[in-house]
Amino acid sequence: MALLEGKIALVTGAARGIGQEIALKLASEGADLALCDVKTEWLDETKAKVEALGRRAEAYGVDVSNGEQVTAGVAQVNKDFGRIDIVVNNAGITRDGLLMRMSEEDWDLVMNINLKGTFLMTKAASRFMMKQRSGVFVNIASVIGLMGNPGQANYGASKAGVSNLTKTTAKELAARGIRANAIAPGFIKTKMTDALTDEVRDAMLAVIPMKDFGTPEDVANTVLFLSSDLSRYVTGQTLSVCGGMVTS
C-alpha cells in the first residue's frame, strides 16, 4: 500500500521547481493534490503530471499573503475534496540585497509571502484539521534561517520565523492529532545554480561537507517522510537537508 493512500495534500508554490517535485512525490505515494499558486494557469503543467500518475489534481489561484484569498481557497479545497490531510507551505520568494540598501518594500514583500503566508495557510487549514482531529503541516524553511547569510536579511529572518512558527504550531495542535515540522534546504540544484560560474559553484561547494548540491527530489523525499506515518512521533522539528552545512 502506498504511504499516502487516500490522503489529500495541499501544496503552495506548486507550479514549478521544488513545489512541483513535492506535489509529484506525494502523488506517487497515493495522495490527491490541491495545487496552489498565485495564478492557476501556472499550475497546468503540474496538474497534468499529477493526473498522469493516476491521481486527482485541482488548481487554485491563491496569493498566500492575502488573508481573504487564503481563507476562501482553503475552504474551497476542503469542500472539493472533503478533507485536508497534509499542507506543504512551500511558497516563497527572495529579494536579496545588503541590509543598508534593502528597501522596506523588499523586506515587507519577502516577509509577507514567506512568513505571513505560512501563518495564514496554517491558521486556515488547522480549523478543518482540528475538526477531523488529524493533519500534518510541512513548512519549507531554509538553512539561511538557521545560519544567516550576507545579502539575505529579509529572507533569513522570514525563514527563521517559519521554523519558530512551526514549533509553536506543533505545541498548540498536538493534542488535536496534528503534527507540524519544517525542512531547511541548503543549496539545491535549480536553473539558478546551473547558470552559476564555476568560481561561484566551487565557493558554494566548499562549505558543503558532502561536496555536492542537493536536488529537488531530496527535499521532496523528506516532505514525504514528514507527511507520512513513518514520522508519526516527530513534531516541532526543523530538519536540515543541506549536505552537512548545518549540523545542529
Side-chain angles (χ1 to χ4, degrees), residues 125-187:
S126 64
R127 296 183 186 279
F128 297 103
M129 290 181 176
M130 289 172 69
K131 291 178 181 178
Q132 66 196 31
R133 300 193 70 84
S134 66
V136 176
F137 289 99
V138 182
N139 301 327
I140 305 302
S142 172
V143 293
I144 303 305
L146 303 176
M147 58 186 282
N149 197 43
Q152 291 192 300
N154 49 3
Y155 183 76
S158 71
K159 293 302 188 177
V162 168
S163 291
N164 198 277
L165 173 62
T166 301
K167 294 178 184 295
T168 300
T169 301
K171 290 184 176 182
E172 289 190 5
L173 301 182
R176 298 295 186 100
I178 301 168
R179 297 188 295 110
N181 291 289
I183 297 172
F187 292 130

Side-chain angles (χ1 to χ4, degrees), residues 6-12 31-34 36 60 70-89 121-138 176-179 227:
K7 300 293 186 180
I8 307 301
L10 185 162
V11 180
T12 69
D32 290 330
L33 270 297
C36 295
Y60 300 87
V70 170
T71 299
V74 170
Q76 189 63 50
V77 171
N78 190 73
K79 180 180 179 180
D80 291 345
F81 287 89
R83 61 185 294 115
I84 301 172
D85 299 296
I86 301 158
V87 172
V88 182
N89 283 305
M121 188 63 67
T122 300
K123 181 179 179 180
S126 64
R127 296 183 186 279
F128 297 103
M129 290 181 176
M130 289 172 69
K131 291 178 181 178
Q132 66 196 31
R133 300 193 70 84
S134 66
V136 176
F137 289 99
V138 182
R176 298 295 186 100
I178 301 168
R179 297 188 295 110
S227 299

Side-chain angles (χ1 to χ4, degrees), residues 42-243:
W42 293 0
L43 295 164
D44 290 346
E45 180 181 297
T46 306
K47 186 176 187 294
K49 289 184 175 182
V50 170
E51 291 172 341
L53 293 171
R55 305 311 310 176
R56 178 185 175 188
E58 302 293 344
Y60 300 87
V62 176
D63 175 358
V64 297
S65 68
N66 183 304
E68 291 183 358
Q69 287 191 31
V70 170
T71 299
V74 170
Q76 189 63 50
V77 171
N78 190 73
K79 180 180 179 180
D80 291 345
F81 287 89
R83 61 185 294 115
I84 301 172
D85 299 296
I86 301 158
V87 172
V88 182
N89 283 305
N90 167 74
I93 64 166
T94 59
R95 290 293 186 275
D96 295 347
L98 294 176
L99 179 64
M100 295 304 295
R101 298 175 182 172
M102 184 173 292
S103 68
E104 261 189 82
E105 182 181 9
D106 282 348
W107 174 273
D108 289 343
L109 185 62
V110 170
M111 295 296 286
N112 283 341
I113 293 176
N114 296 5
L115 181 55
K116 181 183 176 183
T118 300
F119 157 70
L120 291 173
M121 188 63 67
T122 300
K123 181 179 179 180
S126 64
R127 296 183 186 279
F128 297 103
M129 290 181 176
M130 289 172 69
K131 291 178 181 178
Q132 66 196 31
R133 300 193 70 84
S134 66
V136 176
F137 289 99
V138 182
N139 301 327
I140 305 302
S142 172
V143 293
I144 303 305
L146 303 176
M147 58 186 282
N149 197 43
Q152 291 192 300
N154 49 3
Y155 183 76
S158 71
K159 293 302 188 177
V162 168
S163 291
N164 198 277
L165 173 62
T166 301
K167 294 178 184 295
T168 300
T169 301
K171 290 184 176 182
E172 289 190 5
L173 301 182
R176 298 295 186 100
I178 301 168
R179 297 188 295 110
N181 291 289
I183 297 172
F187 292 130
I188 304 299
K189 291 177 183 175
T190 61
K191 291 180 180 180
M192 182 184 71
T193 57
D194 290 342
L196 295 174
T197 66
D198 289 342
E199 182 180 7
V200 172
R201 286 172 58 87
D202 289 345
M204 293 171 71
L205 288 170
V207 300
I208 304 174
M210 290 184 68
K211 303 304 178 187
D212 192 14
F213 293 121
T215 68
E217 187 174 17
D218 291 324
V219 179
N221 284 335
T222 310
V223 172
L224 173 60
F225 167 68
L226 292 174
S227 299
S228 75
D229 287 341
L230 292 176
S231 59
R232 183 196 69 84
Y233 202 53
V234 180
T235 195
Q237 306 304 307
T238 296
L239 180 56
S240 297
V241 181
C242 63

